[in-house]
Amino acid sequence: MNDKVLITTIDNRGVARLTMNRPDIRNAFNEELIGEICDTMGRLNADPNVRVIVITGSGTAFSAGADLNMMKRAAGYSAAENKDDARRLAHMLSSIYHSPKPTVALVNGPAMGGGLGLIAACDIAIGADTSFFALTEVRVGLVPAVISPFVIQAITVRQARRLFVSGERFDAAHAEKIGLLHKCVPADTLNDELEEVLKNLLLCSPAAQDSAKELIRSVSYRTPNDNVMEETAGIIAKARTSKDGKEGIAAFLEKRKPNWQEK
């Protein structure tokens, strides 16, 4: 049995798979797991050989959110210590959200609280139809503060207003309906669906994917006024003259695969 709290593998395609490995407590976050995810994301984000990052859980759950023992310790922290503790979770989510690589949440089972934040921080989320979800913080006198920017962006303000204040459980079909999951599939086909997602991601230019992610962060929720149009014109002009832009267009015209695809 592997005693690491995070198991990381990288296949010959450059697909990195991070498996949260605390199955006995449903992969709940403690200080060690949060630190491992942060450190690993830092290494993978900087590795040019890594194309895609997949995050999943071991056992039957994705993540139950915060470890109760960690929460007990936090109850005795000072205000400054509590803020530092919350910053570590924020840094973990940010390392996923701001990754230059496509990130995929492979939701193999239930996700609660911070587990939802991790899903929302990923670019793509596919989940087993047996999964269920809840933001239960208000039921224990807390609020989903650190995860809120990621979750609200994923599910919209209107959905958040219900789920943040009710703490109610919802199933995978509803998670897909509100945008937390991009696709809900039978549990026994989850890895097959992942392969379809990876197939599409690996056809694309890594540099262009990084730029596309930055583009979304740059223009989201902005009015398409003259300033925004000027910015986006500059972005596409830069892309057309980039190394991958030139290679991609040349490959298309020459009816061959670009150099980032497997030959």
Side-chain angles (χ1 to χ4, degrees):
M1 181 176 178
N2 198 318
D3 58 0
K4 292 183 178 180
V5 298
L6 184 71
I7 300 170
T8 304
T9 60
I10 304 174
D11 69 18
N12 58 10
R13 301 172 296 176
V15 176
R17 185 164 177 147
L18 280 59
T19 304
M20 297 177 284
N21 189 39
R22 306 185 78 208
D24 293 345
I25 51 172
R26 299 183 299 166
N27 303 313
F29 299 130
N30 65 354
E31 297 90 343
E32 184 182 6
L33 179 56
I34 290 171
E36 284 292 322
I37 293 174
C38 286
D39 291 347
T40 302
M41 286 300 302
R43 291 194 299 273
L44 297 177
N45 287 343
D47 187 342
N49 296 312
V50 172
R51 294 285 310 275
V52 182
I53 300 170
V54 179
I55 304 176
T56 192
S58 61
T60 59
F62 182 75
S63 175
D67 183 332
L68 289 179
N69 288 322
M70 185 175 76
M71 297 298 289
K72 288 178 185 177
R73 289 192 292 273
Y77 289 169
S78 66
E81 289 170 330
N82 255 302
K83 194 166 185 179
D84 283 343
D85 184 67
R87 283 191 184 108
R88 285 189 282 272
L89 177 61
H91 180 64
M92 181 193 81
L93 296 173
S94 182
S95 70
I96 297 167
Y97 181 78
H98 289 100
S99 174
K101 325 281 184 179
T103 53
V104 181
L106 186 67
V107 185
N108 58 301
M112 306 290 182
L116 265 77
L118 196 159
I119 294 168
C122 289
D123 300 313
I124 300 171
I126 54 176
D129 59 1
T130 52
S131 303
F132 58 84
F133 309 84
L135 293 156
T136 57
E137 287 85 349
V138 289
R139 297 194 176 189
V140 293
L142 302 175
V143 291
V146 174
I147 67 172
S148 61
F150 308 97
V151 176
I152 290 171
Q153 192 175 94
I155 69 174
T156 76
V157 171
R158 184 64 172 164
Q159 295 293 342
R161 288 177 67 177
R162 173 178 176 171
L163 297 173
F164 278 27
V165 301
S166 70
E168 66 191 79
R169 179 184 291 194
F170 55 99
D171 62 18
H174 190 68
E176 181 180 22
K177 181 179 178 180
I178 65 175
L180 181 65
L181 296 179
H182 289 98
K183 196 164 185 181
C184 164
V185 299
D188 60 357
T189 68
L190 189 59
N191 280 300
D192 293 336
E193 183 63 30
L194 173 63
E195 284 304 312
E196 288 299 311
V197 170
L198 293 175
K199 185 189 302 182
N200 285 315
L201 290 173
L202 294 170
L203 291 175
C204 304
S205 154
Q209 288 172 324
D210 182 11
S211 296
K213 293 181 65 168
E214 181 58 37
L215 173 65
I216 294 167
R217 291 190 289 264
S218 175
V219 304
S220 295
Y221 309 116
R222 293 172 65 189
T223 302
N225 56 28
D226 289 346
N227 288 336
V228 172
M229 294 298 95
E230 186 66 17
E231 283 183 39
T232 55
I235 290 168
I236 188 58
K238 183 178 179 181
R240 287 171 179 168
T241 57
S242 70
K243 180 180 177 182
D244 277 14
K246 290 179 178 179
E247 166 63 12
I249 295 300
F252 177 78
L253 293 174
E254 296 166 13
K255 295 182 171 54
R256 61 174 175 82
K257 290 182 179 181
N259 58 21
W260 55 78
Q261 290 182 21
E262 290 183 2
K263 299 298 188 286

